[in-house]
Amino acid sequence: MRKHTISVLVENQFGVLAKVAGMFSARGYNIESLSVAETLDPTISRMTIVTRGDDPIIEQITKHLNKLVPVIKVSDLTGTPHIDREMALIKVEAKEKNRAEILRIAEIFRGKIVDVSPTSFVIEVTGDDEKITAFLALLKPLGIKEIGRSGKVAMGRGPKTAGVEPNGEKEGG
Amino acid sequence: MKKTGAQILVDCLVKEGVDTIFGYPGGAVLTIYDALYHSPLRHILVRHEQGAVHAADGYARASGKPGVVVVTSGPGATNTVTGIATAAMDSSPLVVFSGQVNTPLIGNDAFQEADIVGITRPCTKNNYLVKDVKTLAPIIREAFYLARTGRPGPVLIDIPKDIQAQSTDYVFPRQVVPRGYHPTYDGHPGQIQRCLELLATAERPVLYVGGGVILSGAAPEILKFAEAENIPVTMTLMGLGGFPGSHRLSLGMLGMHGTYWANLAVTECDLLIGIGARFDDRVTGKINEFAPLAKKVHIDIDPTSISKSVKVHLPIVGDVKHVLRQLLADAPRPRAEIARARQKWLKRIAEWKKDKPLSYRHGKMIKPQAVVEALCRATKGDAIITTEVGQNQMWTALFYEFNHPRQLITSGGLGTMGFGLPAAIGAQAAFPGKTVIDIAGDGSIQMNIQELATAVQHKLPVKVAILNNGFLGMVRQWQKLFYGGRYSHSRMDVSPDFVKLAEAYGATGLRAQLPAEVEPVIAKALKTKGPVIMDFVVEPEEDVSPMVPAGEAINKMILL
């Protein structure tokens, strides 16, 4: 059971998210994280889906995604060189004796303090899953009050794009 | 030219080549029905929206053209769900139009509002809510294209009432193809080559043929291929008629209620070529003992069907008609020693068949199998047969010899009781001159019996043969075999008098209670002009045989 990051280009229409999410739930596949936003072409959105499964399951997932009519292109980024990032907003308790240490940890992780109050900080941090998990582990003993964590966004390395080819060929299948 | 949404809908239907629609008017489609009033389209008024969808499905399966349905919002739309799911499971092309409440009211829990797009999302090939009248015509074109191409299936278009009334400039649009939709039709040449290599050395091959062969019109290619290679052919329930049942190479149906020799042949074969079939659990039985000695090739247009349940050695994604033509183009005649081995293989199968033929014991009461055989004889095996679901369906599959594609119309995947009568009505609407018979049980016929009125009103002379055993027979059979004979709520103590019921609807009712009455009743029914119900009072506790217990390997058959 391996984690896979799948990038999906879809028609930017209402109901497409429900179609994709519904396919996962109806067939018993799990979505660990999901992020969606418009691409340069406003008629196309990119979904980045993190899921888990052995090879036959991942094969079925990518085939079923391709089968959905509003899905334009599916690329499984796992196993190919790629970058993935998520962002977290973390509200920590900022007591007098901890404030300096929190700032130091945030700096090591290239976190930004985006809100300050007499008793709290909100820190913004981006990175891959491991970095954010490590960051949270360090802050935890100091008192985390709230976490907001985004889904993953991902992209292949190098000049090649996952964009739609002129003839709109789907991958795989 | 300016047209309203409703007029655009009607014009698009005519231009798509639609001649018949099945529907039921209501508040949210009054504007569409007003546009239908002066249209050339023939409208068949059903008695329940589920009936409309099954009838359109029957029309589609008989003719190969998409079936079209119009229903109102809310309950009208939700009543279509079973029909749409039935069509989706059996890849039947449908375009369903549902009315919706006025756009500003959507989401307000308005009168007769249901989120039918949300409800049908998992059981349609695609679906649409029309929010702008300008997009209506392109959506309709896209819907018909999706319904009939690739792996066919049902598409739903939800049209709010205000959109039906709004006007816009209209020209019938050019073909619209969604950019993410590219079914693969031709098989990969490398895979075709590898398949030919497997064929060249196969001594005990079997073709396992499903509904895809009928959908793609590949029956002539299957026949040519099987004869050229001298390979026996077994069919799924959906594949019956895809290869002539009377042919020397036909093994009949395989699977849970398959023939003894088909199931043994699949278990013993060294090459299994699945063609437009999906290795359904009713076919495979225990997965890891299915065709254990065979290299498996799977030809299917839907990549998700491949290696879904059974791991295959050689997948070929493509339309089966295209792929078979590719195979035929390069297929060498089997070498002499292979040809001899195949001759031996056919002989072995023939011995299994001789050893355990399909049979049943005659008795004082009418046997349901005898009724099906008599229907086959009386129609010279040439009728369009629909079925309900359960024992009636399995006896039809085993005892009516299907020689032509699109001759058997049955709910295979979803197994929908109540399918047969409306499907027969739809098939009859497509082929007014043909004999159309629904082979039914006394349980399932009552699930959509109201459609008898539809048949009478529209002068569609369907014949219904009820194998009346007073039980939900297949449930009773499982209870007898696997639940200690405890017939929990499977006995239908009270059913209507079907002869009187037929008469009440303005149809003809006939009854046979003794074996000698079967043939005269059938002869009389076939001579009667309008719809007929034949009530065959049959042996109450007859079982379908052979049977593979659920979860067992398919060679572990019980012969009852």
Side-chain angles (χ1 to χ4, degrees):
Chain A
M1 293 287 271
R2 204 169 145 206
K3 228 182 216 184
H4 281 250
T5 304
I6 301 171
S7 172
V8 188
L9 294 177
V10 300
E11 298 286 352
N12 185 9
Q13 296 162 347
F14 70 95
V16 177
L17 176 60
K19 261 195 178 89
V20 170
M23 186 283 282
F24 275 83
S25 65
R27 298 187 181 271
Y29 307 136
N30 207 16
I31 296 180
E32 294 203 352
S33 97
L34 170 73
S35 72
V36 196
E38 211 172 277
T39 61
L40 267 182
D41 177 347
T43 67
I44 297 177
S45 293
R46 181 197 294 271
M47 288 186 189
T48 309
I49 301 169
V50 179
T51 184
R52 200 180 270 280
D54 51 20
D55 289 349
I57 288 179
I58 298 296
E59 187 185 325
Q60 281 295 315
I61 288 175
T62 53
K63 283 175 175 177
H64 276 291
L65 283 169
N66 265 311
K67 189 173 165 179
L68 298 173
V69 172
V71 167
I72 301 165
K73 183 159 180 171
V74 180
S75 353
D76 182 1
L77 296 171
T78 308
T80 66
H82 70 280
I83 310 136
D84 58 59
R85 292 288 180 271
E86 44 187 286
M87 192 189 81
L89 292 172
I90 304 146
K91 189 174 285 181
V92 287
E93 248 173 281
K95 291 189 193 120
E96 194 52 47
K97 60 175 173 109
N98 289 341
R99 294 179 86 96
E101 187 175 359
I102 292 168
L103 291 175
R104 202 155 34 83
I105 295 171
E107 199 181 335
I108 295 169
F109 281 82
R110 282 188 248 172
K112 269 197 293 190
I113 310 292
V114 289
D115 181 68
V116 185
S117 82
T119 56
S120 70
F121 288 138
V122 176
I123 310 171
E124 174 197 317
V125 66
T126 56
D128 60 15
D129 183 45
E130 272 175 36
K131 174 179 163 184
I132 289 175
T133 306
F135 187 53
L136 290 172
L138 285 173
L139 289 179
K140 205 170 171 196
L142 302 171
I144 295 176
K145 291 158 81 90
E146 202 175 0
I147 301 173
R149 218 170 148 166
S150 75
K152 199 183 264 190
V153 291
M155 190 173 281
R157 289 186 183 272
K160 228 180 110 197
T161 67
V164 188
E165 310 293 327
N167 63 356
E169 276 301 301
K170 268 194 197 186
E171 197 178 74
Chain B
M1 199 187 2
K2 285 240 182 247
K3 274 189 191 288
T4 65
Q7 290 165 340
I8 290 171
L9 166 59
V10 170
D11 191 72
C12 285
L13 291 181
V14 171
K15 297 223 163 73
E16 288 288 350
V18 174
D19 51 30
T20 305
I21 61 180
F22 302 85
Y24 203 101
V29 284
L30 279 166
T31 312
I32 293 175
Y33 270 82
D34 196 45
L36 284 172
Y37 194 68
H38 286 299
S39 87
L41 294 166
R42 171 191 191 197
H43 179 277
I44 301 216
L45 176 65
V46 295
R47 295 300 182 268
H48 186 290
E49 289 88 350
Q50 185 188 349
V53 186
H54 290 327
D57 192 346
Y59 175 93
R61 295 189 203 209
S63 68
K65 295 196 293 184
V68 178
V69 176
V70 180
V71 296
T72 192
S73 64
T78 55
N79 275 345
T80 64
V81 172
T82 301
I84 293 173
T86 303
M89 286 285 262
D90 291 343
S91 312
S92 187
L94 294 184
V95 181
V96 178
F97 295 91
S98 52
Q100 182 54 280
V101 299
N102 283 321
T103 313
L105 284 177
I106 291 177
N108 272 358
D109 299 328
F111 177 65
Q112 293 196 327
E113 179 185 359
D115 173 17
I116 196 62
V117 168
I119 291 169
T120 58
R121 203 168 274 134
C123 61
T124 48
K125 187 165 168 180
N126 205 17
N127 61 15
Y128 307 83
L129 170 64
V130 182
K131 288 183 142 181
D132 178 350
V133 69
K134 288 192 199 64
T135 64
L136 178 60
I139 285 175
I140 294 172
R141 286 230 77 183
E142 184 173 303
F144 273 90
Y145 184 76
L146 289 175
R148 55 163 76 105
T149 58
R151 178 176 181 173
V155 180
L156 177 132
I157 304 176
D158 198 24
I159 313 176
K161 193 171 180 181
D162 50 339
I163 302 282
Q164 298 165 25
Q166 281 165 19
S167 292
T168 186
D169 284 323
Y170 164 77
V171 278
F172 186 61
R174 279 186 306 173
Q175 188 59 63
V176 183
V177 182
R179 57 184 151 182
Y181 180 72
H182 304 278
T184 307
Y185 290 99
D186 290 330
H188 187 281
Q191 300 293 80
I192 300 284
Q193 215 43 52
R194 276 183 276 280
C195 182
L196 291 173
E197 283 160 21
L198 288 174
L199 264 177
T201 55
E203 298 185 348
R204 303 186 311 280
V206 168
L207 302 184
Y208 146 52
V209 164
V213 166
I214 291 164
L215 288 165
S216 79
E221 283 79 8
I222 287 281
L223 182 61
K224 237 191 226 168
F225 185 65
E227 283 180 343
E229 293 285 329
N230 206 21
I231 304 181
V233 181
T234 182
M235 284 158 276
T236 69
L237 179 63
M238 299 307 297
L240 289 173
F243 185 80
S246 59
H247 197 281
R248 68 177 177 91
L249 291 169
S250 170
L251 306 180
M253 187 169 75
L254 80 165
M256 182 174 275
H257 293 293
T259 64
Y260 178 77
W261 56 97
N263 283 350
L264 283 193
V266 167
T267 306
E268 296 285 317
C269 70
D270 65 352
L271 176 66
L272 184 74
I273 306 184
I275 308 177
R278 59 190 174 89
F279 294 83
D280 173 76
D281 53 275
R282 282 295 190 268
V283 158
T284 62
K286 194 174 186 179
I287 292 263
N288 47 15
E289 289 177 35
F290 179 70
L293 310 175
K295 287 254 192 254
K296 299 181 191 79
V297 179
H298 190 181
I299 306 170
D300 204 292
I301 196 161
D302 181 356
T304 68
S305 286
I306 291 175
S307 290
K308 181 169 63 177
S309 53
V310 171
K311 185 88 197 131
V312 295
H313 301 83
L314 182 66
I316 305 179
V317 176
D319 181 292
V320 296
K321 191 179 181 84
H322 289 232
V323 173
L324 283 167
R325 284 189 171 172
Q326 287 172 287
L327 287 170
L328 279 165
D330 283 334
R333 293 222 148 242
R335 281 176 292 130
E337 76 262 30
I338 295 292
R340 273 197 299 279
R342 287 191 191 165
Q343 217 46 55
K344 239 172 80 186
W345 171 231
L346 290 173
K347 231 190 228 154
R348 228 174 117 198
I349 296 173
E351 278 159 24
W352 289 328
K353 186 171 178 173
K354 219 171 109 195
D355 191 24
K356 301 261 172 17
L358 283 179
S359 68
Y360 57 93
R361 284 175 286 278
H362 287 277
K364 281 196 188 120
M365 293 197 74
I366 298 172
K367 290 294 180 137
Q369 302 93 325
V371 175
V372 176
E373 285 180 330
L375 285 167
C376 187
R377 279 196 305 276
T379 55
K380 300 190 175 62
D382 202 29
I384 295 176
I385 302 291
T386 71
T387 77
E388 305 292 339
V389 168
Q391 289 185 319
N392 60 79
Q393 184 183 33
M394 290 300 111
W395 283 319
T396 302
L398 292 169
F399 290 95
Y400 197 104
E401 197 169 73
F402 295 97
N403 283 319
H404 309 290
R406 302 195 179 278
Q407 207 192 335
L408 171 63
I409 295 173
T410 188
S411 168
L414 199 65
T416 307
M417 289 171 72
F419 174 79
L421 175 55
I425 288 170
Q428 189 80 76
F431 293 103
K434 279 217 154 189
T435 302
V436 181
I437 304 175
D438 171 29
I439 300 182
D442 50 309
S444 48
I445 191 62
Q446 294 186 61
M447 282 213 181
N448 272 320
I449 186 72
Q450 77 285 348
E451 298 309 328
L452 200 52
T454 307
V456 173
Q457 176 174 340
H458 293 277
K459 301 194 167 50
L460 297 165
V462 297
K463 317 296 179 211
V464 181
I466 301 175
L467 308 176
N468 187 348
N469 55 16
F471 277 106
L472 298 174
M474 191 58 94
V475 173
R476 185 204 55 73
Q477 179 169 341
W478 282 57
Q479 288 171 334
K480 171 184 158 187
L481 294 172
F482 311 117
Y483 291 86
R486 292 178 296 281
Y487 291 171
S488 183
H489 306 285
S490 53
R491 188 181 192 107
M492 285 216 165
D493 286 328
V494 174
S495 275
D497 178 328
F498 289 110
V499 172
K500 283 188 187 159
L501 186 70
E503 285 163 2
Y505 274 112
T508 305
L510 303 168
R511 179 173 290 124
Q513 285 171 302
L514 295 170
E517 294 166 358
V518 170
E519 289 194 338
V521 160
I522 292 172
K524 192 164 175 205
L526 293 178
K527 262 189 255 148
T528 306
K529 277 205 163 29
V532 179
I533 285 189
M534 296 168 265
D535 183 21
F536 296 100
V537 181
V538 299
E539 178 76 53
E541 300 206 19
E542 187 72 12
D543 294 317
V544 177
S545 171
M547 176 171 196
V548 178
E552 271 289 358
I554 59 167
N555 60 342
K556 306 263 161 57
M557 283 163 278
I558 311 175
L559 297 165
L560 297 155

